[in-house]
Amino acid sequence: MQFHEMLNEYLRRLNVTALTLAEASELSPAVISRYRSAERTPAPHSQALTRLAQGIASLAEQKGDLGLSQESVLRDFRKALGYEECGQTRLAANLDLLVNVLHLRSGEMARALSFDPSYLSRIRMGQRTPANPAAFARAVGNYTARRCRSATERADLAGLLGQEPEDLEDDASCSAALARWLLNGEAGQPDATFSFLEKLDGFDLNDYIRAVRFDQMKVPTVPFQLPSSKVHYGLENFRQAHLDFLKSTAISRSREPVFMCSDMPMEELARDMEFSKKWMLGLAAMLKKGLHLDMVHDLNRPYAEMMLGLESWIPLYMTGQISPWYLRGRHNGVYGHLLFCSGAAAVEGECIAGDFAHGRFLFSQTKSDLSYYRRRADVILQTAQPLMEIYRDASESAYSSFLLADAREGGEYRAVLTALPPHTLSEECLERILEQNGVSPSEGESARRAFARTRALVASLLQNGAYEEEFPVLAPAEFQAEPPSLALSELFCGAQLRYDEAGYREHLRLTRAFAAEHPGYTAREVGRSAFHNLQILIRKGKWVGISKCKAPPIHFVIRHPRLRAAIENMAFLVDERGES
């Protein structure tokens, strides 16, 4: 029985309306409606599914139906969603996620638990199971609670465990909650990760450009007078130092890259909508001028807050003019620092943590200061790690070279696709699709080269490791409602190549034949993809590649442990099916 059928059966069994279930589950009626019609399904790890099970169990108790407990309903829902519970797999996945999210050192943990580091590593990879899992989970919980006592770390733990930060304030409560979660919790991404991917999936750079009139923006050229050096105190003057920096940089003749790095809290600034508007316009003016920006993000903050900040940078990332960086490890929680530097101006700031409003900020345009701060910026960049590599159309060959070189190293790979995998398409089938869509000779040749690169990449992946792909398979009625297109993220173009139904069914047949012929290849068929414009390629334990198919085509390769682990552990499954 599929998920939506099971949900409707529960409603009939309890003789309740969808509105009653929505109120009991604290979910919106629209969400329940989409679940019932199979338009949407919750992820197996999600809070929505847990609330739904709680609501059904609560209504069952009111009706005197003692055969429906929250645990049994949740278990049956997950089975319908294709999620089978496995204690060993859960412990390994949760331990790996915990280590990555909190930046724990495996060697230090191994010493604290009196384990051999290699043995602990095998537990994380699911290759070994502790002789006493409950005792192991308690030991990891005790170690983590002692090791992670800062407010930020406890906030990250609360998000991971699905609890409130105040529930984890003392070490004993924190340790017990961690032990329970390691054994029985659901290893999945915080909701903020899915929100980030959803925004990226639906973002259209062309719409954004029109909305903010970026295409009509004129870079100011009229000079204005600013002191060569000035010290600012307090929050209001700090805002002015920001804007003076952006103005000076936008109108100057310098083409030097811009550098920005700050671990100061930005919430106070973000609350001022007028300042935020001017700040974004200033950044847009610098990018319109063609300047490159090296942005060092502060990621030592609660996960949801970190992801919310990254969401706001998506439009600017899409320009291809920003290199995002981060600094490894946890830094002191006593002082706050800021350094902005360009060829025209610099701003240096300092404050005591928790007393941001009384910080001190130096704005300078003197040559000696600019030289000094540029050297500091260069040293920070030498230490920083790339948060993500961004590839646009000008980087097509670089992105392909990266993938092929990485595939030769071997490893475990997983892809989450919005359409059938392109590498299984035959040349004859491709030619028919190109002809049916009226593709020009030059675009057709680009398509052939891109599909050839994809076939070569998959061949290398299978020769040196294992490869799993998850892709949607549409029923005839779904195909008629919205004919799908080929996955074209490799082409760096906005074109759409629509299938006819015969071509789609032929491609599906070829894909299944490919899976039968290649033992190292796993194909998972789902009814719908979680996203519409994103293809996700995961190199387990190393990096995650997110490819946006259009508006515009762009590739992000993410290596940051917390973000990479969150996406890697996501369950993208939507309404899994068998043959179609």
Side-chain angles (χ1 to χ4, degrees), residues 526-556:
V526 298
R528 289 185 311 282
S529 173
F531 306 109
H532 299 290
N533 299 306
L534 296 184
Q535 318 281 1
I536 298 175
L537 179 61
I538 299 169
R539 167 81 185 281
K540 187 174 180 180
K542 297 292 185 180
W543 52 265
V544 170
I546 302 174
S547 300
K548 188 167 171 62
C549 305
K550 58 181 181 180
I554 192 168
H555 301 268
F556 301 94

Side-chain angles (χ1 to χ4, degrees), residues 85-359:
E85 299 204 48
C86 174
Q88 177 179 344
T89 302
R90 179 184 294 114
L91 176 60
N94 284 355
L95 178 61
D96 184 61
L97 190 59
L98 178 70
V99 169
N100 283 307
V101 167
L102 293 177
H103 301 290
L104 300 177
R105 295 185 177 90
S106 294
E108 179 183 302
M109 179 186 290
R111 287 192 297 273
L113 302 181
S114 299
F115 279 141
D116 181 87
S118 62
Y119 178 67
L120 182 63
S121 177
R122 287 194 290 272
I123 293 176
R124 284 181 63 188
M125 296 172 64
Q127 297 173 351
R128 295 291 299 272
T129 304
N132 187 333
F136 175 80
R138 287 195 299 270
V140 173
N142 289 335
Y143 164 78
T144 306
R146 294 194 308 270
R147 170 69 172 72
C148 303
R149 285 174 168 156
S150 72
T152 297
E153 289 167 329
R154 290 293 166 97
D156 283 340
L157 273 174
L160 198 60
L161 275 58
Q163 298 188 219
E164 296 299 323
E166 52 266 27
D167 296 335
L168 306 177
E169 285 183 353
D170 64 275
D171 287 357
S173 299
C174 183
S175 174
L178 267 167
R180 289 192 299 271
W181 176 81
L182 283 166
L183 292 171
N184 303 305
E186 298 161 3
Q189 83 294 349
D191 291 341
T193 309
F194 202 86
S195 173
F196 172 78
L197 293 176
E198 278 191 315
K199 183 166 183 179
L200 182 59
D201 181 52
F203 179 79
D204 188 310
L205 182 61
N206 296 322
D207 289 346
Y208 177 80
I209 287 173
R210 287 190 293 270
V212 301
R213 299 179 180 176
F214 186 78
D215 51 341
Q216 304 172 21
M217 180 181 294
K218 304 295 183 183
V219 177
T221 57
V222 178
F224 59 93
Q225 293 296 319
L226 283 173
S228 60
S229 182
K230 183 176 180 180
V231 176
H232 296 270
Y233 296 94
L235 187 60
E236 190 58 42
N237 290 327
F238 179 39
R239 294 188 179 98
Q240 190 58 50
H242 272 68
L243 299 180
D244 288 348
F245 172 80
L246 295 174
K247 289 178 184 177
S248 301
T249 301
I251 69 170
S252 74
R253 296 180 181 179
S254 172
R255 312 295 295 184
E256 281 190 36
V258 180
F259 174 89
M260 293 185 177
C261 178
S262 172
D263 61 6
M264 290 186 173
M266 303 303 290
E267 293 82 3
E268 290 293 331
L269 297 178
R271 291 193 188 102
D272 186 336
M273 297 306 296
E274 186 63 28
F275 168 78
S276 296
K277 182 179 179 181
K278 292 178 180 178
W279 168 253
M280 292 303 294
L281 286 174
L283 284 174
M286 290 195 315
L287 297 174
K288 181 76 172 180
K289 182 180 176 181
L291 299 181
H292 184 86
L293 170 60
D294 287 303
M295 179 67 198
V296 182
H297 291 281
D298 172 32
L299 303 185
N300 292 316
R301 57 184 73 221
Y303 188 87
E305 184 181 326
M306 177 185 83
M307 296 307 300
L308 188 63
L310 291 179
E311 276 187 30
S312 66
W313 281 88
I314 288 176
L316 302 178
Y317 287 163
M318 288 290 191
T319 65
Q321 292 174 235
I322 297 179
S323 296
W325 306 85
Y326 75 97
L327 297 172
R328 279 182 172 168
R330 298 272 178 184
H331 305 288
N332 79 82
V334 178
Y335 304 102
H337 307 87
L338 175 144
L339 176 59
F340 295 167
C341 182
S342 70
V347 174
E348 181 190 27
E350 62 182 24
C351 71
I352 300 297
D355 196 26
F356 175 54
H358 296 90

Side-chain angles (χ1 to χ4, degrees), residues 385-396:
Q385 303 293 317
L387 176 62
M388 60 182 76
E389 289 111 35
I390 301 174
Y391 298 89
R392 288 199 58 181
D393 46 2
S395 309
E396 177 181 355

Side-chain angles (χ1 to χ4, degrees), residues 401-413 457 460-466 539-540 542-543 559:
S401 298
F402 156 70
L403 291 179
L404 287 170
D406 192 85
R408 286 192 288 270
E409 296 180 6
E412 294 182 42
Y413 292 81
L457 173 63
S460 183
L461 292 177
L462 294 178
Q463 181 180 355
N464 300 296
R539 167 81 185 281
K540 187 174 180 180
K542 297 292 185 180
W543 52 265
R559 302 179 188 275

